[in-house]
């Protein structure tokens, strides 16, 4: 076999990662015809086909799957190396964090403030999306870390590490009072809840069923801040972590009840390569027990 052309191997890897020649070509700033031509050269070098056509899509052959496994390790390691070199040599370290939209903004901001030095040596970049989207970006080396309420998916990927930062019970609020006691009063109003695609949303639906509550759901939200805004505009009963009840009551809302049967759990997830990142090291060594106990002065003043 002739010497392997690593540019051609990279094009092949990109096709597999992006799912098509067209998407890979766009990412590489090349034409699809150029990428296809280079793949043919690589196949000639390897003396075998890397792709087979199934309907309108391309799927890897057995040779293609074998080559991809090795290429994936090679290029993933190269990205890790670049990440490590970049944050070790830069005076202003960029820290890119993904935040699950379902999480409380007040709490996530407090967690992140704990890792940002006051000397301006870190550039914090925050991105908000669903947990699934954030996990995909984390695995593609486009994020340094994510904060999420779902840790189970990280167990699928040995290169992703996770740690639970803390948890909080849930409280129910509304702009009006109801005649029945809690939790039966939840049947008397329209509910605003987190999306059923979130951990908290799934817990709520199960809890309603366990308590035999016949609730009426007005809306489901991926964004916790949007859900709370609807509640503040007197559109229904909404939920929030119990540690923020004083802040919400200060907005004229009524506390209907609380439960620890349902918990909003906060996890931090990061690639193994990031364990030496200054911000990740600082976060892992920080004790957030006072924050999640509701005793953090900064949060109480928000």
């Amino acid at each position: 076999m002739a010497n392997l052309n690593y540019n051609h191997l990279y094009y092949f890897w990109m096709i597999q990662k992006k799912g098509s020649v067209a998407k890979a070509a766009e990412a590489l700033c090349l034409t699809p015809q150029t990428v296809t031509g280079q793949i043919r050269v690589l196949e000639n070098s390897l003396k075998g086909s890397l792709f087979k056509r199934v309907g309108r899509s391309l799927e890897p052959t057995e040779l293609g799957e074998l080559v991809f496994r090795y290429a994936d390790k090679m290029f993933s390691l190269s990205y890790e190396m670049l990440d490590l070199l970049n944050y070790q040599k830069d005076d202003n370290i960029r820290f890119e964090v993904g935040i699950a939209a379902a999480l409380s903004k007040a709490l996530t901001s407090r967690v992140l403030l704990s890792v940002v030095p006051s000397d301006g040596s870190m550039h914090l970049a925050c991105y908000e999306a669903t947990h699934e989207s954030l996990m995909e970006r984390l695995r593609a080396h486009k994020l340094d870390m994510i904060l999420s309420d779902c840790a189970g998916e990280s167990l699928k990927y040995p290169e992703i590490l996770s740690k639970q930062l803390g948890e909080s019970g849930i409280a129910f609020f509304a702009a009006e009072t109801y005649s029945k006691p809690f939790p039966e009063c939840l049947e008397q109003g329209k509910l605003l809840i987190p999306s059923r695609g979130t951990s908290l949303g799934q817990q709520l639906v199960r809890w309603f069923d366990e308590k035999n509550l016949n609730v009426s759901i007005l809306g489901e939200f991926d964004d916790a801040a949007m859900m709370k805004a609807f509640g503040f505009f007197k559109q229904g009963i909404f939920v929030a972590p119990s540690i923020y009840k004083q802040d919400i009551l200060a907005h004229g809302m009524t506390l209907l009840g609380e439960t620890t049967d349902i918990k909003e759990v906060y996890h931090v997830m990061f690639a193994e390569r990031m364990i030496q990142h200054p911000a990740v090291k600082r976060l892992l060594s920080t004790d957030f027990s006072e924050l999640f106990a509701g005793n953090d002065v900064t949060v109480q003043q928000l």
Side-chain angles (χ1 to χ4, degrees):
M1 184 179 73
N3 291 333
L4 184 63
N5 187 308
Y6 288 97
N7 282 335
H8 298 167
L9 184 62
Y10 184 68
Y11 298 163
F12 164 73
W13 181 72
M14 285 293 288
I15 293 173
Q16 281 290 87
K17 296 292 282 188
K18 296 297 183 179
S20 72
V21 172
K23 291 180 179 178
E26 182 179 0
L28 294 165
C29 297
L30 298 171
T31 66
Q33 293 79 7
T34 298
V35 173
T36 300
Q38 300 305 318
I39 294 302
R40 291 195 183 115
V41 174
L42 178 62
E43 289 177 327
N44 290 334
S45 174
L46 297 175
K47 302 187 186 311
S49 298
L50 295 171
F51 292 106
K52 58 185 177 183
R53 185 163 292 282
V54 178
R56 299 182 63 182
S57 61
L58 289 176
E59 291 187 4
T61 60
E62 288 187 15
L63 175 62
E65 291 177 351
L66 175 65
V67 172
F68 177 74
R69 284 199 297 272
Y70 283 94
D72 195 40
K73 292 177 182 178
M74 290 168 53
F75 292 117
S76 293
L77 281 172
S78 69
Y79 276 113
E80 289 183 16
M81 178 190 69
L82 290 173
D83 287 339
L84 287 168
L85 292 175
N86 285 336
Y87 75 68
Q88 286 178 352
K89 71 181 181 181
D90 290 346
D91 293 330
N92 190 282
I93 300 172
R94 185 175 177 86
F95 188 43
E96 297 183 284
V97 181
I99 302 168
L103 294 183
S104 164
K105 305 301 180 290
L107 196 147
T108 52
S109 62
R110 182 65 186 90
V111 168
L112 292 176
L113 283 171
S114 70
V115 304
V116 178
S118 58
D119 60 3
S121 60
M122 183 176 295
H123 179 179
L124 181 64
C126 296
Y127 305 90
E128 188 178 50
T130 62
H131 171 82
E132 293 76 15
S133 176
L134 293 175
M135 183 61 75
E136 183 178 339
R137 294 191 67 179
L138 181 65
R139 296 189 66 232
H141 308 279
K142 295 179 180 178
L143 291 173
D144 297 324
M145 184 187 82
I146 64 175
L147 286 169
S148 179
D149 59 343
C150 302
E153 191 179 351
S154 66
L155 300 177
K156 301 177 184 176
Y157 310 112
E159 75 276 16
I160 302 298
L161 305 181
S162 69
K163 179 186 177 182
Q164 180 175 321
L165 299 181
E167 61 184 24
S168 171
I170 293 300
F172 293 80
F173 303 90
E176 57 184 299
T177 58
Y178 298 96
S179 58
K180 292 183 180 180
F182 180 81
E184 287 77 12
C185 62
L186 301 179
E187 297 179 323
Q188 295 183 283
K190 302 289 186 180
L191 264 67
L192 309 168
I193 68 170
S195 165
R196 298 181 202 217
T198 66
S199 174
L200 185 54
Q202 293 168 10
Q203 290 183 71
L204 280 165
V205 172
R206 287 196 299 268
W207 187 75
F208 294 148
D209 186 58
E210 291 168 1
K211 297 294 183 181
N212 294 315
L213 295 173
N214 184 23
V215 298
S216 176
I217 298 174
L218 174 64
E220 298 184 24
F221 301 82
D222 281 336
D223 189 326
M226 180 64 73
M227 177 181 64
K228 189 166 71 171
F230 268 70
F232 283 172
F233 279 112
K234 304 180 181 181
Q235 296 303 306
I237 300 169
F238 65 98
V239 300
S242 294
I243 59 176
Y244 297 117
K245 61 185 177 184
Q246 296 305 322
D247 172 57
I248 294 174
L249 293 174
H251 283 78
M253 297 293 106
T254 298
L255 175 64
L256 301 180
E258 301 177 71
T259 180
T260 55
D261 293 339
I262 307 168
K263 293 183 178 180
E264 184 166 76
V265 183
Y266 287 72
H267 299 273
V268 58
M269 278 161 273
F270 52 92
E272 187 175 7
R273 73 186 190 281
M274 298 304 298
I275 201 163
Q276 293 302 318
H277 190 289
V280 174
K281 290 172 68 176
R282 196 175 296 115
L283 188 144
L284 294 178
S285 64
T286 301
D287 182 2
F288 292 104
S289 57
E290 288 296 300
L291 173 64
F292 286 96
N295 300 325
D296 187 86
V297 176
T298 305
V299 171
Q300 290 174 355
Q301 294 176 345
L302 291 175

